[in-house]
Amino acid sequence: MGTRVRGWRWRRNPLRRRSDVVEAWTVLAVAVLLFVGAPLLGAAAAWWAHDEARATAARQQAERHRVRAEVIGRTPDRLPSVQAGGRHSYRATVRWTDPDGAVRTTASRVPAGTRHGEVVEVWLDSRGRGVPPPADGSAVWQHSVTMGVCATAGTVATVLLAHSGVRRVALRHRLAEWEREWARTEPRWTHRRA
């Protein structure tokens, strides 16, 4: 039966090696980085991503506008394989009238199942090109949470990988120290004579 002595790497004793002390400090540093550093870094990344996403959404809201347009182009008979916003959509030519009375046309995404002559709402940029709708609040939060989780996970993976490397080096040093000690002690134990 063996008993486990906790904290032996922190106490002075003749069996403790320098590699044991390094490993003990490394374990403490890893614990602090995993339980304090990684969440703080994730929160900072999420905060930064939230500010950036809000600024992008505000810029998109200012640059894009929604108009009611009539589908004048031919629409495909089958559904596309790509989904936009969780719903199937495809590109079709649409026509709308500007506030100054000019009739304009462009290619824009319309919902699947839209037929020639139907009126749909499309988003346009300042040059009248069809664009996706601006990001809403849920897209901003989704982006922020994703960036925070990825930053936290990346930090955790980096810390654990570095800890694994330090443990490997410490083990190598520990074995070398034990080998040197045994080389000094072994002749006294075995009473080896030349």
Side-chain angles (χ1 to χ4, degrees), residues 77-157:
D77 295 331
R78 60 186 180 89
L79 288 176
S81 59
V82 177
Q83 291 186 357
R87 296 179 301 184
H88 290 283
S89 64
Y90 53 83
R91 294 189 77 72
T93 305
V94 295
R95 175 178 53 207
W96 78 97
T97 305
D98 273 346
D100 61 358
V103 175
R104 308 235 185 239
T105 61
T106 191
S108 182
R109 288 212 165 274
V110 297
T114 305
R115 299 285 174 221
H116 181 80
E118 287 186 42
V119 176
V120 295
E121 289 188 345
V122 295
W123 286 90
L124 306 172
D125 64 7
S126 58
R127 291 192 255 178
R129 294 180 302 191
V131 293
D136 59 353
S138 65
V140 169
W141 279 106
Q142 181 181 10
H143 176 71
S144 304
V145 169
T146 301
M147 291 300 289
V149 167
C150 288
T152 302
T155 303
V156 167

Side-chain angles (χ1 to χ4, degrees), residues 53-68:
R54 273 190 22 202
T56 300
R59 193 169 47 253
Q60 287 176 350
Q61 288 283 353
E63 293 171 352
R64 299 174 183 184
H65 60 282
R66 183 172 37 188
V67 297
R68 293 184 56 75

